[in-house]
Amino acid sequence: MTKKQWFVVSWCCVASIWAAAQNKTDLQHNTTAPMSATDYHFGTTVCSNSQQLFVGSLSNKQANLAGGVYVFDAQKQSNKPQQFIAPQNLTADSYFGTAIAAQAKQLLIGASNAKVLHRTTEVAEGGSAYLYQKDHQRWKEVAQLHAPEPTIREHFGQTVALNSQYALIAATPKNTDGYPNGVVYVYDLSTPKCVYQQTLAPKQAQNSNEFGKAILLNSTDALISAPQADGDNGAVYWFVQKDKRWVEQQKIIPTCPKFEPDAARQALSFAPNANKFGWAMALDQQTLAVGAPMENIGAGAVYIFEQQNGIWTQTQRLALPYPTQAFVGFGETIALQNNILWIGASGNAETPSTVYCFAKTNNQWLPTQHNYQSPTPNDGFGNALVATPNSLTIGAYSTLIDNMPKGAVYTYSYTPTDLLNEALTQQAESQATNPILNAATVVNTQSAAITTITEQVPTNAPNTTPSNNTRPATTLTANNTTTQLNIYPNPSQQGVFYVQNTLDFATDLHAQVSTQQGSPIKAIYTLLAPNKLQIQLQNAPAGIYLLQLNNNNQQSIHKLYVTQP
């Protein structure tokens, strides 16, 4: 993306906030730490129930550095909080406000580092969670929850989720079988003392899977991520209620592409191969968005799933344009509301922290120009996101005030229909001029079956042997077998390509050509030989297209270049 397409908000004092807002940006309001003399890391967590905005300040001097949560009127542009919530029994570094979940009348706040008194023993960093109910305009504490058998450094309360009947509270470093696998505890809020009901963990135990990193909860379903599962590739577990118990229904994992090697990736070969799928999640009705911020050497990606025939099925993969810089962390945070998707990327030394916006139309997620950059360097911008039907709030917990990391939050207003129209307009303009959409690459992950026939190459076909008009061969490794893949002619004037492999393709070879925006392109796929595939694009204008191959359960993505005859 070019800088011209980014909405840059550059200011550092209250006096210039409204000037920025009048300058036709979407910035509606900025809130710095309300008590700058006592607050630290204001904006580490943000949460909203549409009526009120809750902001965590994990090191707060008015709460003995134990942490606190500010409550603001979400409908008003005011720096003045309606309430400051901080338990009186916590000690310094309890991290009250680590996680927040809110409904209209209930509020759940985690304090993951809190000391816990279990029977007569004090458990260091066992963690607690506090339940509040709304009484008129004030939130009042009604219960303090901790693990049934707290252990040292369990960090109970690191993630919390809430519905009208249940509270789900994670202890991601919880040791099980000698490893910090993580568990999620279930509490029944319909009982007078919010009694513990159940402990959730994956059916197939793994070592150090960080189960409970993110939790989504509605009236009947729970989605719990484990970004360190399967060798740090990550997974999401879907639980449903059956006979008042939560039962694992599905393990959700993405279909990841095989990336073409290049000098940049080879130079960074030391980087971890972990994807961290499940680092962040968001849910809107039947749409699930899951971040994998370490995929592709930390470039990151977000996978979209839809509920189809009773299971979660992957439908799209969203990523920054190729080639992209490593370690920008696209997918570290996610917010989803009314077919508008916001994705945070922490950036690196060359790329500032940015929150990207997508809109859904015709079952496709398209990028918009409403992407927000960090106002100041290294401010933690985008570390926390929350969306309401017409606003987005972004935390920047390390924003410097008086050279100290006091923190700030930024609220941007938006209209969903305007974003949708903008995405459609941008797509049309991009297709008319350049099929590469600068904001992001959207890859449709549904592939088409290959028709296998014994047919000779037509006599009017272009030269079907590799030549100077061939892109560099792609080396693929699967099951300890290395093969080379050639695509030629590439570019092609007629839209006819030949894909030749040094080994035979698998019998279940699948392929799909799409635009950079993820829209499938009509094409005829013909297997001319066991190791040779012909692709004939149908009425494809000049431009660049994506070919996704699934061969022997190995996915790869390649660019096809169509030029004017």
Side-chain angles (χ1 to χ4, degrees):
M1 163 164 290
T2 61
K3 290 185 178 179
K4 292 180 181 178
Q5 292 175 289
W6 295 32
F7 286 80
V8 181
V9 184
S10 55
W11 41 262
C12 56
C13 61
V14 175
S16 58
I17 293 174
W18 304 115
Q22 293 169 1
N23 238 352
K24 296 187 178 180
T25 73
D26 303 314
L27 183 65
Q28 183 183 53
H29 190 59
N30 158 256
T31 302
T32 55
M35 302 292 291
S36 60
T38 59
D39 285 331
Y40 291 91
H41 301 307
F42 173 81
T44 302
T45 49
V46 293
C47 181
S48 178
N49 60 6
S50 293
Q51 298 301 313
Q52 291 180 307
L53 174 67
F54 306 89
V55 182
S57 177
L58 296 197
S59 299
N60 190 288
K61 286 186 178 179
Q62 24 177 353
N64 299 319
L65 293 177
V69 173
Y70 287 95
V71 184
F72 297 89
D73 188 334
Q75 309 301 318
K76 295 181 179 178
Q77 300 176 2
S78 172
N79 280 359
K80 184 178 180 180
Q82 295 177 318
Q83 186 178 351
F84 177 69
I85 302 174
Q88 297 300 310
N89 64 332
L90 292 179
T91 58
D93 299 323
S94 292
Y95 292 170
F96 180 80
T98 301
I100 309 172
Q103 294 196 317
K105 297 293 184 180
Q106 289 180 312
L107 175 66
L108 184 63
I109 303 175
S112 61
N113 266 28
K115 296 178 182 178
V116 177
L117 184 63
H118 182 56
R119 299 188 178 97
T120 58
T121 303
E122 189 176 77
V123 181
E125 299 180 18
S128 296
Y130 292 79
L131 182 68
Y132 297 82
Q133 287 186 347
K134 198 169 187 180
D135 184 3
H136 297 91
Q137 297 301 315
R138 304 288 291 179
W139 291 96
K140 293 188 177 180
E141 181 184 323
V142 295
Q144 179 182 349
L145 308 175
H146 54 76
E149 296 291 332
T151 57
I152 295 175
R153 288 183 289 278
E154 183 171 352
H155 298 299
F156 175 93
Q158 196 159 34
T159 312
V160 299
L162 189 67
N163 67 16
S164 60
Q165 185 175 356
Y166 294 102
L168 270 60
I169 304 173
T172 56
K174 175 72 174 181
N175 278 285
T176 61
D177 301 324
Y179 295 95
N181 293 325
V183 296
V184 172
Y185 299 102
V186 181
Y187 293 83
D188 189 346
L189 303 183
S190 65
T191 58
K193 294 185 179 181
C194 305
V195 298
Y196 158 78
Q197 183 189 69
Q198 185 181 356
T199 299
L200 304 182
K203 289 179 182 178
Q204 297 180 343
Q206 298 187 29
N207 298 339
S208 306
N209 61 11
E210 205 176 5
F211 181 77
K213 169 65 177 177
I215 305 175
L216 302 174
L217 180 65
N218 60 23
S219 59
T220 58
D221 305 88
L223 291 152
I224 304 173
S225 74
Q228 292 185 16
D230 299 334
D232 280 355
N233 283 312
V236 173
Y237 296 86
W238 175 31
F239 290 80
V240 297
Q241 275 191 287
K242 292 182 180 179
D243 299 326
K244 296 185 178 181
R245 301 285 291 179
W246 292 91
V247 179
E248 184 181 324
Q249 186 79 3
Q250 181 186 356
K251 179 182 178 181
I252 304 169
I253 55 176
T255 301
C256 301
K258 180 74 174 182
F259 298 101
E260 298 182 33
D262 59 21
R265 291 193 178 91
Q266 290 172 2
L268 291 170
S269 59
F270 62 86
N273 294 320
N275 295 329
K276 299 289 187 182
F277 173 81
W279 188 266
M281 299 192 297
L283 180 69
D284 185 18
Q285 298 180 6
Q286 302 300 308
T287 300
L288 170 66
V290 183
M294 285 304 297
E295 183 180 289
N296 193 12
I297 317 181
V302 170
Y303 290 85
I304 306 297
F305 297 82
E306 305 282 348
Q307 263 201 340
Q308 299 175 358
N309 300 320
I311 63 171
W312 289 98
T313 303
Q314 181 178 323
T315 57
Q316 276 185 271
R317 172 184 175 272
L318 311 181
L320 296 176
Y322 177 86
T324 188
Q325 295 172 334
F327 303 114
V328 296
F330 182 80
E332 286 182 341
T333 51
I334 305 175
L336 178 60
Q337 182 78 228
N338 292 340
N339 291 328
I340 303 299
L341 175 64
W342 308 90
I343 301 173
S346 59
N348 55 28
E350 299 178 2
T351 304
S353 302
T354 306
V355 176
Y356 298 87
C357 178
F358 295 77
K360 185 179 182 182
T361 176
N362 298 326
N363 294 320
Q364 291 286 318
W365 289 93
L366 302 176
T368 75
Q369 291 184 335
H370 282 61
N371 304 325
Y372 304 119
Q373 264 191 3
S374 168
T376 56
N378 304 316
D379 58 3
F381 183 84
N383 182 74
L385 305 177
V386 63
T388 69
N390 56 16
S391 68
L392 173 73
T393 297
I394 302 175
Y397 69 97
S398 291
T399 298
L400 296 180
I401 300 175
D402 298 328
N403 293 320
M404 297 296 291
K406 303 293 187 176
V409 296
Y410 302 84
T411 297
Y412 301 85
S413 61
Y414 70 91
T415 304
T417 53
D418 289 347
L419 294 180
L420 177 58
N421 291 333
E422 178 186 291
L424 291 171
T425 300
Q426 187 171 346
Q427 180 190 38
E429 291 176 351
S430 176
Q431 289 177 335
T433 57
N434 186 342
I436 298 179
L437 195 58
N438 287 328
T441 299
V442 183
V443 179
N444 188 350
T445 59
Q446 294 177 337
S447 56
I450 303 296
T451 301
T452 303
I453 60 175
T454 56
E455 181 174 284
Q456 298 299 318
V457 179
T459 57
N460 61 348
N463 181 11
T464 60
T465 58
S467 66
N468 293 334
N469 207 24
T470 303
R471 297 280 153 178
T474 299
T475 301
L476 303 176
T477 301
N479 301 324
N480 296 321
T481 301
T482 300
T483 66
Q484 278 199 335
L485 202 67
N486 286 291
I487 301 176
Y488 58 90
N490 196 15
S492 169
Q493 292 184 354
Q494 289 84 4
V496 179
F497 299 88
Y498 296 88
V499 182
Q500 188 160 351
N501 201 10
T502 54
L503 298 179
D504 291 353
F505 287 117
T507 56
D508 60 347
L509 174 66
H510 283 70
Q512 175 68 67
V513 176
S514 63
T515 66
Q516 289 275 352
Q517 293 79 42
S519 301
I521 294 294
K522 290 183 179 180
I524 298 174
Y525 304 85
T526 305
L527 198 61
L528 301 177
N531 67 336
K532 191 172 186 177
L533 172 68
Q534 182 193 59
I535 302 173
Q536 296 175 281
L537 303 186
Q538 304 294 294
N539 301 318
I544 304 175
Y545 300 89
L546 295 176
L547 166 63
Q548 180 171 317
L549 291 176
N550 190 328
N551 180 44
N552 195 23
N553 294 322
Q554 295 292 319
Q555 283 214 354
S556 58
I557 295 177
H558 315 269
K559 288 184 178 180
L560 302 181
Y561 298 80
V562 177
T563 58
Q564 295 287 353

